[in-house]
Amino acid sequence: LCGFPVTQDWVFFEARLRNKSPCLPRALQELGYTTLASHPNVAAFWNRVNAYDRAGFNLYWSAKDFRLDDMNGDFLGDASLYAQVLEKIDPLLETETPTLN
């Protein structure tokens, strides 16, 4: 999403993304897109709340925003996640506003 080189074995977004950055979501947001990040895990895990904001996402849906109805251990199953995301973005798609999710 950002094209930052990873030169060490770590999760870049967790510790190194400290400022708002010219990432793809931000560039698309500036062109009028609604930019959404969907990850059905704890919001703060891997610093997602800050990282998604700094990358330019308008909105971030985390575990609290999903029905955790089809779990694979601790994680929401893909089929349920995809169905719920489609349900959530359907009103956006009807407005013809370009959307990145």
Side-chain angles (χ1 to χ4, degrees):
L1 293 173
C2 298
F4 295 123
V6 177
T7 58
Q8 295 181 349
D9 187 17
W10 58 16
V11 177
F12 184 84
F13 287 144
E14 181 183 21
R16 305 295 294 169
L17 186 60
R18 296 185 181 132
N19 300 301
K20 293 191 182 290
S21 298
C23 301
L24 179 62
R26 183 166 316 288
L28 291 174
Q29 184 186 100
E30 291 171 1
L31 293 173
Y33 279 67
T34 297
T35 55
L36 309 160
S38 301
H39 197 293
N41 200 327
V42 176
F45 194 75
W46 292 119
N47 197 31
R48 284 187 188 102
V49 172
N50 294 318
Y52 287 146
D53 176 62
R54 292 170 186 164
F57 286 100
N58 297 104
L59 184 61
Y60 165 36
W61 292 321
S62 65
K64 67 179 176 49
D65 300 299
F66 293 97
R67 293 180 313 278
L68 303 179
D69 59 359
D70 179 24
M71 302 300 287
N72 295 323
D74 292 335
F75 305 103
L76 181 62
D78 289 347
S80 180
L81 170 64
Y82 297 153
Q84 290 183 63
V85 167
L86 285 172
E87 181 181 301
K88 289 174 174 294
I89 66 170
D90 189 54
L92 293 170
L93 298 176
E94 291 179 13
T95 68
E96 297 186 18
T97 300
T99 302
L100 169 70
N101 180 268

